[in-house]
Amino acid sequence: MAYETLLISIENNIATLTFNRPKALNALNGMLLTELSSALDEIAQNDDVRVLILTGAGEKAFVAGADITELATLNPLQAKLFSKKGHDVISKLQALSIPVVAAVNGFALGGGSEMALACDFIYASENAKFGLPEITLGIIPGFGGTQRLPRLIGTNRAKEMILTGNMLSATEAKEMGLVNKVTAPEALMDEVIKTASAMASKGRVPLRAAKQVVNAGLGVDLATGCAMEVDAFALCMASPDAKEGTSAFVEKRKPTFSGGYEG
Ligand code: CO8
C-alpha cells in the first residue's frame, strides 16, 4: 500500500519505514499517525518481514516531534484524543512481534524521541540530537516519554531532560544507555542493516519469544518475570527453530531457520 507521509520498502526480509515529511522535519501529524498504524498492521501480517527499521527522510531529522502547527489548534479534549492516538500507535510499535531498530539520522525530539524509545534499540548518527523539549512549549511529553525514558535511563536523568528540555548529543545519549551505537551519518544505514540482517537470519519463534519475555518482564517482579521466561523457553523447544539450531550445532553445520511457526 502507498502512503503520503511514509515510505515503505522490503528487502531481504527487512522492512524499512521512513517518516517522509522532510520539509517539516518529519513532524508527526494526524495523518502520519494514522498511516503508521496501517503500515504496522501491514508489516505485522507479512510473514516475509523478520525485522523492521524506522528512519527519517532527509539529512536533518528522524522526527522533530509532534506537528506543532496542529498541536497549537487543539482544545483539551482534542489534545487528549491526539495524545491517545499517539500512545496507541507507539504501543502497537512496541508490541510488534519482530525486532524493531530505530536508525536516528538527525533530530529525534518530543514525539520523535518517544517513537525511538518504543523501538527495541537505537543506532544513531553522529549528528543525532535527542530531547523532550515540550516544557519549552508550555506542555509535557504526551506520547509516552515520561514513562519510557525513566525506565530506560533512570528517573533522575529522565527528569533532567524533561524538566529542562535540553537536547543530548548522540555521544551523550550513548553514555546514558539511550543509544546502542553511534556511527558516521553515511554509515548509519549500513550498520543498522548489518545488525538487522543478523537478527533476520535467526529463528522467528525465539526472536519473538525473547522480545516478548523481555518486554513483559519489565512490568512485573523478578520472580514473575523468571517464571515467564521458563514458560517461553519451554514453548521455544516445541518450535522447528529449536530442533534446527540444536541439531546444526551437534552436526557441526550452520543452521537454516525456516521462519515458520509449524512444529
Ligand atoms: N512541527 C511542525 N513543524 C516543524 C517541527 C514540528 N515539531 N519541527 C520543525 N518544523 C518545521 C519548521 O517549522 C520549518 O518549517 P518552515 O521551513 O516551513 O518554516 C522546518 O520544519 C525546518 O525547521 P527549522 O527551520 O526550525 O530548522 P532548524 O534547523 O532551524 O531547527 C529544530 C531545527 C531545532 C528541530 C527546530 O525546528 C525545532 O525546535 N523544532 C521543534 C522541536 C520540538 O519542539 N519538538 C517537540 C514537539 S511537541 C511533541 O512532540 C509532543 C508530543 C506529544 C503530543 C501530545 C499531543 C497532545
Side-chain angles (χ1 to χ4, degrees), residues 11-238:
E11 213 175 320
N12 300 325
N13 302 114
I14 299 168
T16 303
L17 269 184
T18 305
F19 299 110
N20 190 31
R21 300 186 67 221
K23 284 189 183 144
L25 304 189
N26 304 319
L28 307 170
N29 61 5
M31 178 189 269
L32 190 153
L33 293 177
T34 301
E35 290 194 337
L36 179 59
S37 181
S38 303
L40 292 175
D41 289 340
E42 192 183 324
I43 284 163
Q45 283 157 21
N46 186 339
D47 277 349
D48 289 337
V49 177
R50 305 258 195 118
V51 179
L52 171 63
I53 297 169
L54 291 189
T55 194
E59 293 179 354
K60 267 183 89 169
F62 174 72
V63 168
D67 191 312
I68 300 168
T69 58
E70 271 190 16
L71 270 190
T73 66
L74 303 179
N75 66 33
L77 181 58
Q78 291 166 326
K80 184 170 179 171
L81 293 173
F82 191 60
S83 176
K84 177 74 170 57
K85 181 173 182 157
H87 269 274
D88 287 349
V89 69
I90 287 175
S91 296
K92 187 185 275 191
L93 172 69
Q94 186 166 30
L96 216 60
S97 65
I98 56 173
V100 184
V101 187
V104 174
N105 55 321
F107 291 108
L109 301 177
S113 270
E114 292 169 303
M115 190 72 71
L117 283 169
C119 296
D120 294 308
F121 53 88
I122 303 171
Y123 281 12
S125 70
E126 284 154 357
N127 63 352
K129 292 250 187 277
F130 294 84
L132 292 173
E134 286 87 345
I135 201 93
T136 63
L137 297 167
I139 54 176
I140 66 166
F143 289 165
T146 63
Q147 302 307 305
R148 288 193 180 89
L149 189 64
R151 283 168 169 78
L152 188 62
I153 65 170
T155 309
N156 292 10
R157 284 175 159 169
K159 279 187 189 153
E160 188 177 350
M161 283 180 71
I162 292 165
L163 299 178
T164 64
N166 288 346
M167 292 185 209
L168 297 179
S169 68
T171 312
E172 288 168 325
K174 182 164 182 292
E175 279 164 9
M176 289 192 187
L178 181 58
V179 161
N180 282 17
K181 189 177 267 191
V182 178
T183 73
E186 62 280 7
L188 178 66
M189 284 316 283
D190 284 350
E191 282 294 324
V192 172
I193 287 170
K194 201 159 53 160
T195 300
S197 304
M199 294 189 287
S201 72
K202 306 295 186 291
R204 187 188 292 268
V205 171
L207 277 178
R208 184 186 182 126
K211 172 171 176 168
Q212 199 183 356
V213 84
V214 170
N215 282 355
L218 288 172
V220 299
D221 63 273
L222 182 63
T224 307
C226 289
M228 292 192 310
E229 185 189 84
V230 168
D231 285 343
F233 184 91
L235 207 60
C236 276
M237 286 306 286

